[in-house]
Amino acid sequence: MLMDAASKAGVFRGFAQEIVTYEELVELFESDGHPIAYDGFEPSGVAHLPVGVYRPLLLKQMLSTGVRFKLLLADSYAWINEKMGGDLARIKLVGDYFVEVWKAAGVPFSAKPTAGKVCVVSHYADFVSDKEYWFKVFQVGRHHSEARTKRALTIAGRGEADIRQAAQLFYPSMQAADIFQLADDPVKEPIICQLGLDQRKANMLARDMADKLGYKKPVAVHHRILLGLDGESSASAADEPGRPASASAPSIRLGPAGSDEGVTGSDADERVLKYKMSKSRPESCIFVHDSIELIASKLSKAYCPAKIVAGNPVLEYAREMVFRAKSELTVERPAKFGGELAFTSYGELEKAFVDGGLHPMDLKTAVARELDLLIAPVRTHFESGSGRKLLDEIREFEVTR
């Protein structure tokens, strides 16, 4: 069935924590039925839920709108950020592994930008030798301050105190320039930047630079950053003034759309780094190669206080992944504990949990089962043949932050 511009924009609104701006997104779809959208990933270590399950689910939804999606393997950034010990050969191999993960998860790929499919762009292979790209980087750098660059370094998973090399200061200008480089023609048409909320500052920098460089402003669509298994135990009504701790609100408060700082203040930035599911904190992670037994064990220890929604990772996984993949979640319980429950929406599930009708352990068991079903195709792909060989090589590499 054909979708109109508002319906296509509505698909993005269905998962976005923020869109800057929604009106611009509708206008873009009205002018181009197949605009370019992009996300970027630094290749690093084995895939966890945000990369191997959540990203494919969002990709499939976006591809249904007919966008031409470019996945930028940010291998140059991984090198700057000292991922894989700064070894470019290893970084490239991990990039190949990421693509295999997404293919195993059912994401359709093409060699060139194609409506409804994903194509891969290597930053190192496709951008680094292009003098026009570097001119864009220099232009971005000429039009903003050193202070703003340092504030934006949270996009690299680092704070100002973590800067060890001058090269890391290029990161924000490069990422803003990427956006214009990925466009068919940045003077004539914007692209959709569909990244996590932790990348907001780079996208806002690009929007500000667009006016100064004569380019169209990109549309920024930010999805939420999944919590680690340890959740956000300090989450409280203080995080969202006037909102009870049991409310299902974003755990991060946003500043005005298009503001320089984006997420309000350095404390909010630190919270993103501290509470997100991160491969550098394996105890906070579920990986796509974990067995059902290991997934169940990890979920059983996850932060999930009775009747509390804020900062609760188990409920977040149900909302962001389980109900994004299917329309019903069944909770199996012995008859003496109330018997089986079936929920046809996340709202029903949350209400039952907040009202006390669903025990945390029953929720954990059900979510573990569903996550295993989502992970299974990827896990199976890497259990034999060339997939297994590639995974064995990746596992030999040291995971660095």
Side-chain angles (χ1 to χ4, degrees), residues 25-274:
L25 182 60
V26 174
E27 290 174 5
L28 177 56
F29 276 119
E30 287 175 341
S31 63
D32 184 350
H34 308 291
I36 289 175
Y38 111 98
D39 190 5
F41 280 90
E42 284 189 26
S44 174
V46 296
H48 57 351
L49 286 181
V51 171
V53 174
Y54 192 39
R55 177 76 275 179
L57 287 171
L58 298 187
L59 279 171
K60 292 173 188 177
Q61 286 188 282
M62 286 184 282
L63 293 177
S64 71
T65 70
V67 296
R68 295 170 290 147
F69 205 97
K70 294 185 178 182
L71 270 175
L72 181 64
L73 288 175
D75 34 22
S76 305
Y77 294 86
W79 177 67
I80 290 173
N81 219 8
E82 299 184 326
K83 298 292 178 71
M84 299 293 104
D87 186 319
L88 273 170
R90 289 185 172 188
I91 290 168
K92 182 182 183 302
L93 194 64
V94 177
D96 294 341
Y97 158 78
F98 272 25
V99 173
E100 282 294 302
V101 167
W102 294 319
K103 287 180 177 178
V107 176
F109 279 78
S110 63
K112 296 181 179 180
T114 304
K117 293 188 178 181
V118 174
C119 75
V120 177
V121 178
S122 163
H123 191 276
Y124 183 76
D126 299 320
F127 287 4
V128 168
S129 62
D130 189 332
K131 64 182 181 181
E132 291 186 7
Y133 168 70
W134 287 109
F135 184 71
K136 291 182 178 76
V137 174
F138 298 148
Q139 286 284 72
V140 172
R142 286 180 64 241
H143 286 91
H144 76 280
S145 68
E146 176 187 353
R148 186 168 183 183
T149 278
K150 289 181 176 178
R151 290 197 300 269
L153 283 173
T154 51
I155 64 175
R158 300 184 184 277
E160 290 185 42
D162 296 322
I163 299 172
R164 296 192 300 274
Q165 301 168 355
Q168 291 170 330
L169 294 172
F170 285 87
Y171 206 112
S173 293
M174 288 169 60
Q175 188 166 331
D178 292 345
I179 293 166
F180 306 126
Q181 189 75 5
L182 288 163
D184 289 334
D185 183 345
V187 174
K188 295 181 179 179
E189 183 173 286
I191 71 170
I192 302 167
C193 302
Q194 204 295 281
L195 295 87
L197 189 63
D198 57 344
Q199 302 300 303
R200 188 182 199 269
K201 288 183 177 178
N203 292 336
M204 295 302 102
L205 177 62
R207 284 179 60 85
D208 287 350
M209 293 303 103
D211 286 337
K212 297 175 181 178
L213 302 181
Y215 296 147
K216 294 292 186 180
K217 284 189 175 184
V219 179
V221 179
H222 303 125
H223 64 259
R224 69 175 55 248
I225 305 302
L226 291 182
L227 290 167
L229 290 165
D230 42 6
E232 193 172 349
S233 57
S234 63
S236 67
D239 297 327
E240 293 279 331
R243 187 184 295 277
S246 61
S248 57
S251 59
I252 298 172
R253 185 157 43 95
L254 298 180
S259 68
D260 181 342
E261 288 304 317
V263 175
T264 54
S266 60
D267 288 346
D269 293 335
E270 290 300 320
R271 287 175 62 199
V272 170
L273 296 178
K274 181 177 180 180

Side-chain angles (χ1 to χ4, degrees), residues 302-325:
Y303 176 75
C304 187
K307 302 183 180 182
I308 300 297
V309 176
N312 186 326
V314 184
L315 281 172
E316 182 172 87
Y317 304 160
R319 180 184 66 239
E320 293 300 316
M321 290 179 281
V322 176
F323 279 102
R324 201 171 296 286

